Amino acid sequence: MAATYVLKHSATTLAAFLFLSFVSSAASHIEDQAEQFFRSGHTNNWAVLVCTSRFWFNYRHVANTLSVYRSVKRLGIPDSHIVLMLADDMACNPRNPKPATVFSHKNMELNVYGDDVEVDYRSYEVTVENFLRVLTGRIPPSTPRSKRLLSDDRSNILIYMTGHGGNGFLKFQDSEEITNIELADAFEQMWQKRRYNELLFIIDTCQGASMYERFYSPNIMALASSQVGEDSLSHQPDPAIGVHLMDRYTFYVLEFLEEINPASQTNMNDLFQVCPKSLCVSTPGHRTDLFKRDPKNVLITDFFGSVRKVEITTETMSLQQDSEIMESSYKEDQMDEELMEPLKYAEQLPVAQIIHQSSIIAVEVCSWETTARAVCFSLWSSPGHRQSEWEMHDWQGGQDSRSLPRSPSQLAMSDLRDDC
């Protein structure tokens, strides 16, 4: 009796254990599905890349921006989804010893200007107003598509900025500045207008961390090259060009991105570690409290790459019916072609002969007009024929009545020269 009770109790315990294991497994599966859903919550990627500095000694800022541009294009974001703003054209600067090039590595190893750079805002178009209008979508209707950020609530947006800044501001071309409050309000407008799903903000400037201190909109992750009170330093001096080619933080970020491919599983936590203080001299910072997902679950390609719309199905699709329809339509086209009267190409003149004939006709017309004008000239220049000034005025084609008419011979000869 006791043995039977123990046996039943053990069976009940085993059943309960198996049930709990099944529930735990199901819950884990649902959690994995939810994680995959949140991981792939965006359907398109955009990038806004901004260099705010002019003049030759700021060569590195243009190289910074073009290097990020090159990386996002390599990872799949097309030019149609990139808004590139360059405040100066270093490739065509008279001081550039290698025209039409911008290098990001010393000894001119890597030309980031390339052959297919599409600059959307250049020179004096790069202003605080235009930048904020691009972000918020408040642009004139006449603005071309290439200058618009046509994002939606399923867009992951990368915003990269570089230039000279300070505590709470970034200068635009040494003539104006954008503050961290203005930038935070612009991001809030974007969120209210459903212009992004997730946003990654990266800035390489002095005291860069001060630019994301005022952010308050959800789903924003921010990185900066330096903390408040610190300078961001340049890197890669080149004696031939005479300036520094890049900034330290962007240089090491791009070294990291060169190892990424579109199928990479590298996450944002790895990006946070690419430039320690020993390399950057300044202290890079990041902010993730506004971001819903854990950075370790956020792939680098969620912002630097591009998704492709693919529909996955487990159903079997038969292509036999479609192939039969195509075959029948092909046969019908063949029958229609057979019923049509064949073209008689033999009856047509060769192209060279047609051209020659046209030239003969043109010469004949011109010679006919020459003969007609010669007759007019002979009639007009006869001794018994005289024209009044008004008749001569009409012959000249409506000249100003205040001018004296030309002689009949001058009129006839000039008309002949004009027509033939």
Side-chain angles (χ1 to χ4, degrees):
M1 191 72 178
T4 304
Y5 175 78
V6 171
L7 185 60
K8 288 182 178 180
H9 182 70
S10 299
T12 303
T13 304
L14 180 61
F17 177 78
L18 292 174
F19 176 76
L20 291 175
S21 299
F22 173 79
V23 171
S24 176
S25 176
S28 177
H29 179 66
I30 293 173
E31 185 177 352
D32 291 340
Q33 285 185 332
E35 181 179 345
Q36 289 296 327
F37 173 79
F38 284 110
R39 176 175 293 183
S40 58
H42 69 290
T43 59
N44 56 90
N45 288 80
W46 288 81
V48 181
L49 313 177
V50 186
C51 165
T52 65
S53 299
R54 289 181 63 84
F55 309 119
W56 177 250
F57 55 83
N58 291 319
Y59 181 103
R60 64 188 184 278
H61 295 155
V62 176
N64 290 346
T65 311
L66 288 174
S67 299
V68 177
Y69 172 80
R70 173 180 175 273
S71 294
V72 297
K73 282 189 66 174
R74 181 181 64 83
L75 292 174
I77 301 181
D79 269 314
S80 59
H81 283 213
I82 301 174
V83 179
L84 180 60
M85 308 178 77
L86 298 181
D88 206 342
D89 188 2
M90 298 303 174
C92 298
N93 192 296
R95 296 185 182 182
N96 193 341
K98 297 286 186 179
T101 59
V102 175
F103 295 98
S104 62
H105 287 66
K106 60 182 179 181
N107 301 323
M108 303 182 184
E109 295 175 1
L110 179 60
N111 175 24
V112 293
Y113 195 75
D115 300 324
D116 58 348
V117 174
E118 294 186 12
V119 183
D120 302 303
Y121 291 82
R122 64 176 70 244
S123 187
Y124 290 107
E125 291 182 325
V126 182
T127 62
V128 174
E129 179 184 353
N130 284 341
F131 174 63
L132 294 178
R133 286 185 179 277
V134 168
L135 296 184
T136 59
R138 299 175 180 271
I139 54 181
S142 59
T143 304
R145 187 192 184 283
S146 61
K147 294 188 174 187
R148 296 171 180 261
L149 179 64
L150 301 176
S151 57
D152 54 35
D153 60 342
R154 287 298 180 184
S155 302
N156 275 13
I157 302 178
L158 165 67
I159 297 178
Y160 173 85
M161 304 185 74
T162 182
H164 292 288
N167 189 355
F169 68 90
L170 176 68
K171 292 196 295 184
F172 272 66
Q173 307 199 35
D174 290 335
S175 61
E176 57 180 346
E177 60 190 32
I178 185 172
T179 66
N180 53 7
I181 298 176
E182 292 171 334
L183 189 60
D185 291 341
F187 289 163
E188 176 61 19
Q189 285 190 47
M190 294 178 68
W191 175 254
Q192 294 293 340
K193 298 172 70 172
R194 302 170 66 86
R195 289 179 60 81
Y196 74 87
N197 173 57
E198 293 174 337
L199 192 150
L200 175 63
F201 175 75
I202 301 178
I203 186 166
D204 191 347
T205 186
C206 297
Q207 307 190 59
S210 64
M211 291 300 294
Y212 60 63
E213 288 180 341
R214 298 298 185 95
F215 290 174
Y216 56 94
S217 304
N219 280 5
I220 296 180
M221 185 185 302
L223 294 86
S225 60
S226 57
Q227 297 292 335
V228 178
E230 293 183 342
D231 293 332
S232 291
L233 303 182
S234 56
H235 194 45
Q236 296 279 325
D238 189 286
I241 297 179
V243 292
H244 286 79
L245 300 184
M246 289 194 75
D247 284 320
R248 284 179 174 269
Y249 180 74
T250 301
F251 176 82
Y252 289 108
V253 167
L254 293 171
E255 269 198 343
F256 169 78
L257 291 177
E258 286 298 314
E259 305 297 324
I260 305 297
N261 59 69
S264 177
Q265 297 298 307
T266 309
N267 60 58
M268 295 300 298
N269 273 343
D270 299 320
L271 181 61
F272 296 159
Q273 311 300 323
V274 297
C275 191
K277 189 176 178 65
S278 58
L279 294 176
C280 277
V281 182
S282 61
T283 308
H286 59 270
R287 182 179 176 185
T288 60
D289 58 297
L290 298 171
F291 205 77
K292 292 182 179 179
R293 292 194 288 158
D294 191 330
K296 70 179 181 182
N297 296 327
V298 181
L299 299 180
I300 295 295
T301 52
D302 283 354
F303 291 99
F304 289 91
S306 180
V307 299
R308 292 167 176 81
K309 296 181 179 180
V310 178
E311 182 179 354
I312 301 175
T313 179
T314 57
E315 299 178 0
T316 304
M317 300 181 65
S318 176
L319 302 178
Q320 186 66 26
Q321 185 177 1
D322 295 338
S323 61
E324 291 176 356
I325 294 174
M326 291 179 63
E327 186 176 356
S328 63
S329 63
Y330 176 71
K331 290 180 179 179
E332 290 177 0
D333 293 340
Q334 280 188 329
M335 292 177 63
D336 293 339
E337 290 179 359
E338 291 175 358
L339 293 175
M340 290 176 61
E341 184 179 356
L343 297 175
K344 298 180 181 179
Y345 292 103
E347 297 179 358
Q348 298 183 7
L349 290 172
V351 175
Q353 188 174 351
I354 294 173
I355 296 174
H356 180 66
Q357 187 175 7
S358 300
S359 62
I360 292 174
I361 294 172
V363 171
E364 289 178 353
V365 171
C366 188
S367 63
W368 178 85
E369 291 184 354
T370 305
T371 304
R373 292 184 182 278
V375 172
C376 293
F377 172 69
S378 62
L379 291 175
W380 198 357
S381 59
S382 61
H385 183 80
R386 294 190 178 182
Q387 295 268 347
S388 67
E389 288 190 3
W390 288 106
E391 291 174 332
M392 293 175 67
H393 168 70
D394 294 337
W395 174 265
Q396 294 178 63
Q399 278 189 338
D400 190 354
S401 59
R402 291 174 296 179
S403 61
L404 292 175
R406 294 174 292 177
S407 65
S409 60
Q410 290 175 340
L411 286 171
M413 295 305 294
S414 64
D415 289 339
L416 291 177
R417 285 195 298 269
D418 292 341
D419 291 343
C420 295

